[in-house]
Amino acid sequence: MPLDPEICWRACTSRDRRFDGRFFTAVMTTRIYCRPGCPARMPARRNVQFYSSAAAAESAGFRPCRRCRPETSPGSAAWIGAPALVGRAMRLIEAGALGAHGDRDGERGVEVLAARLGIGGRRLRQLFAEHVGASPLEVARTHRAHLARRLLETTAAPLEDIAQAAGYASARRLHAALKTSFRASPGELRSGQRANAPRTRALELRLPARVPFDAAPLLRFLGCRGVAGLEHVADGVYHRAFRLGDDVGRLEALPDATGVTLSITSASARALVPVAARITRMFDLEADTVAIAAHLRRDPALRSRIPVAGVRVPCAWDPFEHAVRALLGQQVTVAGACTLAARIVARCGEALPPALADERIARLFPTPERLADANLDGLGITGARIRAIHGLARAVVDGALDLTAQTSLESAVAALIALPGIGDWTAQYIALRGFGEPDAFPAGDLGVRKALAQDGVLASEKDAVAHAERWRPWRGYAVISLWTHEATKPKSKPELKHTSAGAQPARRRTR
């Protein structure tokens, strides 16, 4: 995102943590600089300056905030520095990086984590002692204990499953950890209501949302894009099969007015934490929709299309899966793209274990390794699309494209359009739903250009880009609003003129 002060200020007012590392907020009265999502009291606009890196802010005489630790922001210029390495390690620990080793072989787990960060285990321990005041293992133990307590209080799953989900090697280890941390046994921590509930193999976790939360548009969006055999929406619940590493399972996500109740059935309960992170992103649970809506509704072109409570971006389950589906959807309808994706799943996707499969959920989406050389002939996919899918899969397998390491919208789009068959519209769409980029903007989209038409003249792509500057840094939310509004309004076919003589009609693209 270009460092425009007004765009930066808008992001700050919503405390949107997705902009962490993209820029830094410096307060002239306190001489402190913060992340965009810092929970401290908002300063007056006249007292705020913005910097593109922590180093730039410190060079100007500002010190880092002790509350939000801006020097550890992901994607920042200091990301490879010592404090930032600690911040990245903390995020990996919260995602379960030490869960597989913390109790059985803690030192080996720290060495594995350090290797992922490109440093030695000894150096990682030194950094944690300096910046955190605790070792990596102590941080991991605290995180596991609090997660276990939350699961005990909110689910009726067997103790063995809870121990595995929280990263403990056994129920005995879990019992000892809870005694140490909370001076209570697992039985004492369970609420009376849950203690008498029937035990099941499914594991549940409550995922809170920033209210107000209206899941109906999200479920409609996901439902009409469901891929047969892989996922579907029924009775207000999102169902799908998943693979995370060696773990295979299925999930159910039941949203209500305050969040989502997640239930997973898997051979390993360790899948719960990473699945919860993906569902949180899919349902955009952390977005401040009221603040985003208030900003976007200032534009008369959007005022009637965005509810006061706002809109959420329905992110995809997996960036690679979404990229393949985006390629399939080029120049075809939404239903047509889903049909093609279902054929790929049926031919190339691995079958779910019989204990997890049913008539609607039976297969997994194929991995990059399976698709890199898969025979896709006879599925109704054009030769150009087949070559593009093969090229995408091979780039991921060979490491030329890392779909997990994009740190900015610009880098994500640049990496994608370097591949054959992916243009700007497709790259922006993948960034929007695959990476969750809030400012992604497929400017050439026909729905967007129709919404900005004036006096029967279809807006050009250049005009759309210029108009959308006032929507930043939430252009992606504006796009989703326009698509949702277009899908729900009565069908009509107004005659629109193009802005230049001889311009070709915009081709239909799936969303």
Side-chain angles (χ1 to χ4, degrees), residues 79-445:
W79 184 239
I80 59 173
L85 278 171
V86 174
R88 189 179 178 198
M90 293 282 283
R91 287 173 179 257
L92 290 172
I93 289 172
E94 290 178 358
L98 292 182
H101 306 285
D103 286 307
R104 297 197 308 273
D105 188 355
E107 295 307 312
R108 184 168 67 89
V110 173
E111 294 295 334
V112 172
L113 174 61
R116 292 180 65 180
L117 299 169
I119 60 175
R122 181 180 179 183
R123 178 56 176 161
L124 182 62
R125 296 182 192 92
Q126 291 174 340
L127 293 176
F128 266 68
E130 177 183 352
H131 295 279
V132 182
S135 71
L137 283 177
E138 288 170 336
V139 171
R141 289 181 189 126
T142 299
H143 181 265
R144 290 201 303 271
H146 284 272
L147 174 60
R149 178 173 184 168
R150 184 178 173 191
L151 291 171
L152 283 166
E153 293 176 341
T154 60
T155 183
L159 192 61
E160 293 78 8
D161 284 356
I162 290 178
Q164 191 179 37
Y168 292 98
S170 66
R172 182 176 62 83
R173 294 274 191 174
L174 168 63
H175 192 284
L178 296 178
K179 276 289 188 181
T180 300
S181 297
F182 305 113
R183 308 295 190 271
S185 67
E188 292 169 335
L189 290 174
R190 280 200 190 270
S191 65
Q193 178 182 2
R194 283 294 187 178
N196 297 321
R199 298 292 189 259
T200 65
R201 297 307 299 178
L203 201 58
E204 289 187 359
L205 186 63
R206 179 68 182 169
L207 307 175
R210 293 182 72 167
V211 294
F213 177 55
D214 180 12
L218 292 169
L219 290 174
R220 284 195 297 269
F221 193 99
L222 296 172
C224 69
R225 289 162 178 78
V227 175
L230 174 70
E231 61 180 346
H232 73 277
V233 174
D235 300 324
V237 181
Y238 173 73
H239 307 254
R240 78 163 285 139
F242 68 84
R243 176 195 292 279
L244 291 174
D246 295 329
D247 293 330
V248 171
R250 60 181 296 161
L251 66 87
E252 296 179 2
L254 172 62
D256 56 35
T258 59
V260 174
T261 298
L262 171 65
S263 174
I264 74 164
T265 304
S266 172
S268 172
R270 295 189 192 280
L272 179 65
V273 172
V275 168
R278 296 198 182 209
I279 292 298
T280 296
R281 197 170 64 95
M282 281 187 71
F283 285 83
D284 203 9
L285 298 181
E286 296 181 345
D288 186 348
T289 57
V290 174
I292 295 172
H295 169 67
L296 295 179
R297 284 171 60 86
R298 295 173 186 168
D299 184 353
L302 295 179
R303 190 168 300 139
S304 63
R305 295 177 167 92
I306 297 182
V308 175
V311 66
R312 296 177 188 266
V313 173
C315 289
W317 166 261
D318 176 74
F320 174 72
E321 175 185 319
H322 178 61
V324 173
R325 294 171 64 169
L327 286 171
L328 292 172
Q330 291 176 335
Q331 303 177 11
V332 301
T333 64
V334 170
C338 292
T339 298
L340 296 177
R343 292 172 182 170
I344 287 182
V345 168
R347 176 178 292 185
C348 307
E350 182 182 344
L352 272 181
L356 298 176
D358 60 26
E359 66 277 4
R360 303 198 67 175
I361 304 291
R363 308 189 77 83
L364 299 163
F365 196 84
T367 62
E369 291 77 9
R370 279 179 172 258
L371 277 184
D373 297 303
N375 178 12
L376 302 181
D377 295 335
L379 299 182
I381 308 172
T382 66
R385 295 293 158 266
I386 291 176
R387 290 190 292 274
I389 292 171
H390 285 161
L392 170 69
R394 289 193 193 101
V396 173
V397 172
D398 296 341
L401 176 65
D402 187 350
L403 294 175
T404 65
Q406 304 305 323
T407 58
S408 70
L409 173 60
E410 291 77 15
S411 67
V413 171
L416 289 166
I417 62 177
L419 298 176
I422 298 182
D424 184 73
W425 186 96
T426 303
Q428 293 282 350
Y429 181 53
I430 295 171
L432 175 61
R433 296 194 57 223
F435 301 140
E437 283 289 342
D439 202 39
F441 184 60
D445 184 78

